[in-house]
């Protein structure tokens, strides 16, 4: 009855009902407030610089601890170097009156160590990782996840055994936190506990106020660690992390607000769906006239294929190739600002915290399995069926789009509901409690689920230039441009809320910037969509029926079975890494910096290979096997060119760029960049294998390959990470992706389509191209005098920009082009719209190399003539008009 009422009600009535619910629930939330506990006097003495102030703020997160004079304090924190008189006052309070004491050493720790009977064995600065010992109490060892702790720098090497002549710390202090020194393998005590007279004493070996230990003060568990020490020193029983009011997790008080927002979302969504359904029944003609204006505005191509609109109406590799040229032209124009933004400005100035990047990426990757379950493969099914039915059954194509839109909206709302409730009720009581806020934020990104619609639509519509352009705009420009103000704003918020801290705020800023980039991209995409002669309203109507739902879900669920294996494995992978990899939040932040920013040419190429699914779905679904073979050959050929540009540049100059242009906290990325780029070489054939399996309607095979790859990878993680740590992570990636390429293409060849391998064009010519580019920049870098940070950065940017035309020219010179590809390139660059000048420059470089090559047209892809015939037959069967270009 309630659902029927909501379907008949207007949105205004629904809003009034929700407001009334708010009025009823607010008093309930207010009644839940309880008075706070009694206060504990706490004295903080010693240094007062900026770093010491940050430590003070974290000590006073819990309102139960209030500042007090030494003589009144139940616990005293001695930060840095104290005068002899002040030290004497503190020790007297501890010995005689039983006050607790926590010592944080400064630049001259000798007075404290003599007073406590500890022996100084030297100082150290080499980064180490911390862990709780077997002597640590349960809360310190269990509630604090030490595997997520950042590295520690400046510290003193203390002998935990007290001087036997001076019974200062109970004869022998206990080591609660220790670290393994990489230099000699000895255990270094980091936090010692003992007694002094009537009082409890805790001594840090680490200089917590040193710049090299800044990350520890920003760690989500730092506030609780200090709270635990203060409570134990004062002789009080500390609360568990999830129950502590100062923990950076959403508390029960936010549950009422969450329920109100969820109720509003459900009411409005149901009301809008009912309105859309009623309007669709009143206007059934909108389903059949969706493409009417688009077809009326579609002009035929000229004899030379120079008209962009006509060129996009022609079936063939020129369409994906135009998408490739669009992608590469944008990369060429944006490489320097993007690289400067993501590898210099943001990591050095805006978001200089590896652990913040790791915290966000851990939560994002871990939650993807849930989102893909709720997506149910409708994204892939929509692209496939829209591309397949666009010409032969336009109304059916539109219905697939409508079902996709509403499935995203409704499943996104379910996802938000379940994920948010889990984040507030369950996650705070696990080892991943600090991720609760990020789970809620990531869940909100999936609702209403329509902000990526324009990008996905243009992929299904096979306007790959618009698809690639919007995708790059969202994920590779706006995402980072909007991240800057969001991160800076939320960093400031974190500074003013020590409960969360600056790094926590920065991680939130990453997510908010991503969400805003999706919204802005949708707003920009709508007028571009309307310029195609298409109306926006029909996409949000409900002409689809049960048959449409069954078709898309039947295909989508078979696809998502593979994606679920993959995403579930990615979630398990993140959990395994968090269990096995020491200092995993920082390492995951570094891995993200390597994968998405330093070697972004590889993941960004995925946008080009995504276009293969629509093209293959169209050709394979209509029985054009030679055209399908031709697509595969060309995609692998262009994939080799991408690998040549990206790998040769990173191998030649990447590690030096990291060391010279980036801040020291990112320097560890240089050690793994070469290995990561080697993994990237296998991306192109692996992605194309996936697209072939999905486009050919073999989701079961796709599921099997993804599931097997991830299962093997996780098994290798268990074996390799404990032995090799972060190196083991990349060795496992390399082994599994290489095996997937070999096995996947073997199965594709036998069960989907006979793959024609043209060794020179697909492997030898790209390999020679990459070798030439690598040798050029290595020789130049060796010949130049020391350039300094700024000079080398300019040199790297120049090398990156020139690598594009150089590799296009070198590929042509090495015989990697034939006359068929040259003709398609000539057609494709004319289809790139405003990017024609850049695309033409790339085409001219390739054409010049091809004309000068001693291997001119020696290695043609012989499938081209028959593929062109099949493409023309496919056009004629769909009613296409106008002559084809040569």
């Amino acid at each position: 009855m309630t659902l029927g009422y909501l379907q008949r009600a207007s949105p205004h009535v629904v809003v009034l009902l929700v407001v009334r619910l708010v009025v009823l629930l607010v008093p309930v939330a207010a009644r839940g407030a309880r008075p706070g506990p009694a206060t504990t006097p706490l004295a903080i003495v010693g240094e007062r610089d900026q770093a010491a102030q940050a430590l003070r703020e974290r000590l006073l997160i819990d309102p139960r601890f209030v500042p007090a004079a030494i003589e009144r304090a139940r616990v005293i924190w001695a930060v840095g170097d104290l005068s002899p008189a002040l030290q004497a006052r503190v020790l007297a309070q501890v010995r005689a009156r039983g006050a607790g004491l926590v010592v944080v050493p400064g630049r001259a720790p000798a007075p404290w160590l003599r007073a406590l009977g500890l022996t100084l064995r030297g100082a150290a600065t080499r980064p180490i990782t911390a862990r709780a010992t077997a002597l640590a109490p349960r809360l310190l060892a269990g509630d604090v996840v030490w595997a997520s702790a950042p590295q520690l720098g400046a510290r003193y090497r203390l002998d935990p055994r007290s001087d036997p002549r001076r019974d200062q710390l109970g004869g022998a202090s206990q080591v609660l936190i220790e670290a393994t020194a990489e230099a000699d393998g000895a255990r270094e005590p980091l936090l010692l506990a003992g007694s002094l007279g009537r009082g409890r004493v805790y001594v840090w070996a680490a200089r917590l106020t040193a710049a090299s230990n800044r990350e520890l003060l920003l760690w989500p568990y730092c506030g609780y660690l200090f709270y635990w020490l203060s409570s134990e020193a004062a002789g009080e029983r500390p609360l568990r992390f999830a129950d502590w009011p100062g923990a950076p997790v959403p508390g029960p008080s936010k549950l009422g607000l969450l329920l109100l927002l969820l109720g509003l979302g459900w009411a409005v969504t149901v009301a809008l769906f009912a309105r859309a359904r009623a309007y669709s029944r009143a206007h059934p003609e909108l389903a059949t006239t969706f493409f009417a204006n688009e077809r009326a505005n579609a002009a035929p191509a000229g004899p030379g294929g120079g008209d962009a609109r006509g060129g996009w109406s022609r079936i063939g590799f020129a369409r994906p190739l135009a998408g490739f040229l669009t992608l590469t032209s944008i990369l060429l124009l944006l490489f320097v600002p993007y690289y400067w933004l993501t590898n210099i400005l943001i990591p050095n100035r805006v978001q200089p915290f590896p652990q913040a990047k790791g915290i966000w990426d851990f939560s994002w990757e871990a939650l993807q399995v849930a989102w893909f379950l709720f997506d149910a493969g409708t994204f892939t099914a929509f692209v496939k069926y829209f591309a397949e039915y666009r010409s032969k059954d336009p109304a059916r194509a539109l219905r697939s789009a409508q079902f996709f839109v509403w499935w995203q909206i409704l499943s996104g709302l379910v996802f938000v509901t379940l994920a948010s409730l889990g984040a507030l009720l369950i996650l705070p009581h696990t080892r991943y409690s600090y991720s609760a806020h990020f789970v809620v934020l990531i869940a909100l990104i999936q609702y209403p689920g329509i902000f990526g619609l324009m990008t996905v639509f243009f992929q299904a519509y096979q306007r790959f230039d618009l698809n690639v352009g919007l995708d790059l705009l969202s994920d590779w420009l706006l995402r980072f441009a909007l991240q800057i103000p969001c991160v800076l704003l939320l960093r400031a918020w974190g500074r003013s809320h020590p409960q969360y801290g600056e790094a926590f705020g920065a991680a939130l800023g990453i997510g908010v910037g991503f969400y805003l980039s999706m919204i802005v991209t949708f707003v920009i995409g709508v007028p571009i969509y309307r310029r195609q002669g298409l109306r926006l309203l029909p996409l949000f109507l409900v002409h689809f029926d049960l048959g449409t739902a069954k078709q898309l879900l039947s295909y989508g669920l078979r696809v998502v079975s593979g994606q679920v294996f993959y995403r579930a494995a990615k979630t398990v992978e993140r959990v395994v890494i968090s269990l096995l990899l020491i200092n995993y939040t920082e390492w995951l932040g570094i891995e993200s910096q390597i994968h998405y920013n330093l070697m972004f040419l590889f993941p960004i190429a995925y946008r080009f290979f995504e276009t293969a699914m629509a093209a293959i779905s169209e050709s394979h679904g209509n029985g054009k096997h030679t055209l399908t073979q031709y697509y595969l050959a060309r995609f692998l050929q262009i994939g080799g060119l991408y690998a040549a540009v990206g790998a040769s540049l990173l191998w030649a100059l990447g590690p030096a760029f990291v060391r010279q242009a980036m801040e020291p906290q990112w320097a560890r990325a240089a050690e793994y960049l070469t290995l990561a780029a080697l993994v990237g070489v296998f991306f192109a054939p692996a992605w194309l294998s996936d697209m072939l399996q999905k486009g050919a309607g073999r989701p079961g095979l796709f599921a099997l390959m993804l599931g097997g790859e991830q299962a093997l990878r996780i098994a290798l993680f268990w074996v390799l990470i404990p032995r090799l740590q972060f190196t083991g992570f990349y060795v496992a990636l390399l082994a599994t992706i290489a095996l997937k390429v070999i096995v996947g293409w073997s199965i594709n060849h036998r069960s989907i389509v006979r793959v024609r391998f043209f060794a020179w064009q697909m492997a030898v010519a790209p390999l020679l191209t990459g070798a030439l580019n690598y040798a050029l920049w290595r020789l130049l870098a060796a010949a130049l005098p020391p350039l300094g940070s700024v000079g080398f950065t300019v040199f790297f940017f120049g090398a990156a920009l020139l690598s594009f035309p150089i590799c296009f020219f070198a590929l042509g010179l090495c015989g990697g082009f034939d006359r068929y590809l040259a003709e398609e390139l000539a057609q494709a660059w004319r289809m790139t719209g405003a990017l024609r000048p850049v695309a033409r420059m790339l085409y001219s470089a390739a054409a010049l190399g091809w004309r000068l090559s001693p291997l001119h047209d020696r290695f043609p892809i012989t499938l081209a003539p028959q593929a062109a015939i099949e493409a023309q037959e496919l056009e004629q069967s769909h009613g296409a008009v106008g002559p084809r270009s040569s």
Side-chain angles (χ1 to χ4, degrees):
M1 184 195 313
T2 303
L3 180 60
Y5 174 76
L6 287 174
Q7 289 177 339
R8 294 189 298 272
S10 69
H12 303 87
V13 174
V14 173
V15 171
L16 289 175
L17 290 174
V18 173
V19 170
R20 178 168 294 184
L21 182 62
V22 171
V23 173
L24 291 174
L25 288 180
V26 165
V28 175
R31 287 194 299 269
R34 292 178 296 178
T39 59
T40 300
L42 181 147
I44 308 171
V45 296
E47 296 176 359
R48 291 186 175 274
D49 58 13
Q50 185 175 359
Q53 180 60 30
L55 189 148
R56 290 168 181 267
E57 290 173 349
R58 279 151 186 78
L59 285 173
L60 298 175
I61 288 174
D62 193 327
R64 182 176 57 178
F65 292 101
V66 296
I70 294 175
E71 287 71 22
R72 294 185 57 252
R74 290 185 58 188
V75 57
I76 303 169
W77 278 70
V79 181
D81 303 321
L82 274 63
S83 65
L86 186 58
Q87 180 177 308
R89 287 174 59 196
V90 170
L91 291 175
Q93 186 72 6
V94 174
R95 286 193 182 99
R97 302 187 181 181
L101 173 64
V102 182
V103 177
V104 178
R107 291 181 175 84
W112 272 119
L113 299 180
R114 284 196 299 269
L116 299 175
L118 294 174
T119 303
L120 175 64
R121 295 192 293 116
T125 57
R126 185 171 182 173
I128 45 89
T129 52
R131 71 171 190 175
T133 68
L135 298 176
R138 180 178 60 86
L139 292 185
L140 184 62
D143 277 28
V144 177
V145 182
W146 289 100
S148 69
Q151 288 189 310
L152 286 171
R155 62 197 182 278
Y156 299 102
R157 292 181 173 177
L158 306 180
D159 191 335
R161 296 167 298 181
S162 298
D163 189 330
R165 296 168 298 176
R166 306 176 66 184
D167 189 20
Q168 300 292 75
L169 290 180
S173 57
Q174 295 180 331
V175 178
L176 303 184
I177 302 173
E178 67 179 6
T180 301
E182 298 179 7
D184 54 14
R187 300 290 184 186
E188 288 190 28
L190 291 177
L191 179 64
L192 297 89
S195 59
L196 186 64
R198 296 171 55 190
R200 298 184 180 187
V201 178
Y202 295 87
V203 181
W204 280 98
R207 283 186 54 207
L208 299 183
T209 57
S212 58
N213 292 323
R214 177 189 63 170
E215 292 284 329
L216 182 72
L217 297 182
L218 301 173
W219 186 34
Y221 288 104
C222 180
Y224 179 75
L225 176 61
F226 288 177
Y227 156 77
W228 184 91
L229 282 171
S230 298
S231 297
E232 288 286 339
E236 300 173 354
R237 183 177 181 181
L239 299 171
R240 295 203 60 181
F241 179 75
D243 300 326
W244 178 48
V249 298
S253 61
K254 297 181 181 178
L255 182 60
L257 177 62
L258 174 66
L259 292 175
L260 296 177
L261 294 176
L262 290 176
L264 178 63
W266 274 103
V268 171
T269 301
V270 171
L272 290 176
F273 179 81
R275 181 63 62 87
R277 183 66 170 169
Y279 189 86
S280 302
R281 288 173 175 171
H283 298 277
E285 75 283 355
L286 292 177
T288 58
T289 60
F290 177 66
F291 290 104
N293 291 332
E294 177 261 351
R295 285 178 173 168
N297 292 333
D307 182 81
R309 185 182 296 277
W312 284 108
S313 70
R314 295 305 181 196
I315 295 173
F317 188 66
R319 289 194 295 195
L321 194 57
F324 164 74
L325 288 178
T326 300
L327 174 66
T328 309
S329 299
I330 294 174
L331 285 178
L332 195 59
L333 292 173
L334 297 181
F335 184 93
V336 171
Y338 174 86
Y339 223 76
W340 176 80
L341 188 73
T342 60
N343 292 297
I344 296 178
L345 178 63
I346 290 179
N348 291 352
R349 298 289 178 265
V350 177
Q351 202 292 95
F353 315 115
Q355 65 170 304
K357 195 172 183 64
I359 289 170
W360 167 258
D361 288 342
F362 176 84
S363 304
W364 175 264
E365 291 290 346
L367 208 59
Q368 289 306 291
V369 60
W371 172 241
F372 275 91
L373 278 171
F374 284 93
D375 175 72
T378 53
F379 159 73
T380 305
F382 160 53
V383 172
K384 171 179 171 54
Y385 288 117
F386 190 92
E388 185 174 338
Y389 293 117
R390 173 188 167 189
S391 298
K392 60 185 180 184
D393 192 347
R396 193 171 182 180
L398 176 63
R399 289 196 294 271
S400 69
Q402 292 174 343
F403 180 78
F404 168 74
V405 169
W406 279 103
W407 181 268
Q408 296 298 307
I409 294 173
L410 294 171
S411 66
L413 186 56
V414 175
F415 179 70
V416 169
T417 302
L418 297 180
S420 300
L421 290 175
L424 265 67
L425 299 177
I426 300 174
L427 206 57
H429 302 281
T430 70
R431 63 181 278 120
Y432 306 109
S433 54
Y434 63 86
S435 298
H437 283 96
F438 302 100
V439 169
V440 174
L441 179 57
I442 293 168
L444 288 174
I445 290 175
Q446 310 300 340
Y447 181 77
I450 62 170
F451 296 133
L453 175 60
M454 294 294 98
T455 305
V456 176
F457 178 85
F458 286 129
Q459 181 181 344
Y461 193 58
Q462 297 196 62
R463 279 302 304 267
F464 300 131
D465 57 336
L466 302 178
N467 166 244
V468 167
L470 284 178
D471 215 356
L472 288 178
L473 179 69
S474 175
D475 279 2
W476 303 93
L477 183 60
L478 289 175
R479 179 178 181 178
F480 296 101
L482 294 174
Q483 185 183 118
I484 293 175
C486 293
V487 168
L488 292 176
L489 180 64
L490 286 166
R491 275 183 64 183
W493 170 84
R495 281 195 299 270
S496 62
H497 294 79
Q499 173 184 355
Y500 299 97
E502 198 172 358
F504 194 94
L508 288 175
I510 294 173
V512 174
F514 178 66
Y515 196 17
L516 291 178
S517 72
M518 294 178 62
I519 297 174
V520 173
T521 302
F522 177 79
V523 173
I524 293 173
V526 168
I528 299 175
Y529 168 89
R530 294 181 64 86
R531 286 183 61 186
Q532 312 309 308
L534 302 172
R535 295 183 61 191
L536 187 63
L537 176 63
L539 292 180
F540 294 90
L541 297 181
V542 192
H543 290 107
F544 61 85
D545 54 16
L546 187 60
T548 305
K550 286 182 177 179
Q551 183 183 43
L552 267 71
L553 288 176
S554 175
Y555 179 85
L557 288 172
R558 284 181 290 158
V559 171
V560 88
S561 62
Q563 291 179 326
V564 165
F565 279 127
Y566 173 74
R567 294 298 170 178
K570 291 292 286 185
T571 300
V572 174
E573 173 185 307
R574 286 315 191 217
V575 173
V576 168
I577 289 172
S578 73
L579 296 173
L580 303 178
L581 185 62
I582 300 172
N583 184 219
Y584 74 88
T585 54
E586 284 190 339
W587 276 122
L588 289 178
I590 290 172
E591 185 264 338
S592 176
Q593 185 69 25
I594 292 174
H595 183 78
Y596 292 107
N597 298 339
L598 287 166
M599 51 179 291
F600 84 104
L601 288 175
F602 292 98
I604 209 170
Y606 181 76
R607 273 60 185 173
F608 167 62
F609 288 97
E610 271 190 321
T611 66
M613 189 178 72
I616 291 171
S617 177
E618 183 180 51
S619 62
H620 190 274
N622 289 277
K624 305 302 180 183
H625 298 297
T626 303
L627 181 59
T628 302
Q629 291 174 316
Y630 183 70
Y631 281 150
L632 295 176
R634 290 303 190 199
F635 271 101
L636 286 173
Q637 184 179 11
I638 300 301
L641 176 59
Y642 253 120
V645 177
S648 63
L649 180 66
L650 289 176
W651 285 337
L653 304 176
F657 174 83
V658 172
R659 294 188 179 101
Q660 297 194 42
M662 300 182 70
E663 293 290 323
Q665 66 266 27
W666 304 100
R668 287 182 288 174
E671 304 172 21
Y672 299 94
L673 192 54
T674 301
L675 186 57
L678 182 60
V679 174
V681 170
F682 290 92
F683 283 168
W687 290 334
L688 186 59
S689 177
D690 294 343
M691 298 307 163
L692 171 60
Q693 292 160 7
K694 291 190 286 186
R698 298 295 299 274
L701 176 59
F702 171 70
L704 179 64
M705 293 303 303
L706 278 182
E709 177 193 14
Q710 295 306 312
L712 176 60
R713 183 170 295 169
I714 291 171
L716 288 178
F717 281 161
W718 278 108
V719 174
L720 296 175
I721 289 180
R723 293 172 173 81
L724 303 176
Q725 284 297 293
F726 197 56
T727 302
F729 171 81
Y730 272 114
V731 172
L733 289 184
L734 180 59
T736 51
I737 195 170
L739 185 62
K740 175 188 175 179
V741 168
I742 296 170
V743 175
W745 280 105
S746 300
I747 296 174
N748 294 341
H749 180 78
R750 291 182 173 86
S751 63
I752 298 179
V753 64
R754 184 170 174 262
V755 180
R756 296 287 300 277
F757 187 75
F758 298 86
W760 191 271
Q761 297 93 326
M762 298 179 188
V764 178
L767 182 61
L768 291 175
T769 298
L772 289 173
N773 196 55
Y774 171 84
L776 171 65
W777 299 118
R778 287 289 290 181
L779 290 173
L780 282 177
L784 291 172
L787 298 175
S789 176
V790 176
F792 188 85
T793 300
V794 173
F795 172 68
F796 178 82
F797 286 157
L801 293 178
L802 291 175
S803 289
F804 286 93
I806 286 174
C807 287
F808 271 72
F809 171 81
L811 189 65
L813 190 66
C814 295
F817 289 94
D818 55 35
R819 65 183 179 89
Y820 303 111
L821 183 58
E823 291 172 357
E824 289 167 330
L825 271 172
Q827 181 183 357
W829 75 261
R830 295 181 173 90
M831 298 162 59
T832 55
L835 295 169
R836 281 186 184 186
V838 183
R840 185 173 186 177
M841 182 268 292
L842 295 172
Y843 160 73
S844 299
L848 178 61
W850 177 61
R851 286 194 295 268
L852 297 177
S853 174
L855 303 173
H856 183 88
D857 218 22
R858 288 282 302 277
F859 302 100
I861 290 184
T862 54
L863 297 168
Q866 181 61 33
I869 293 173
E870 291 189 355
Q872 190 169 15
E873 291 173 352
L874 196 55
E875 287 179 3
Q876 292 172 351
S877 68
H878 290 177
V881 295
R884 291 183 62 85
S885 68
S886 59

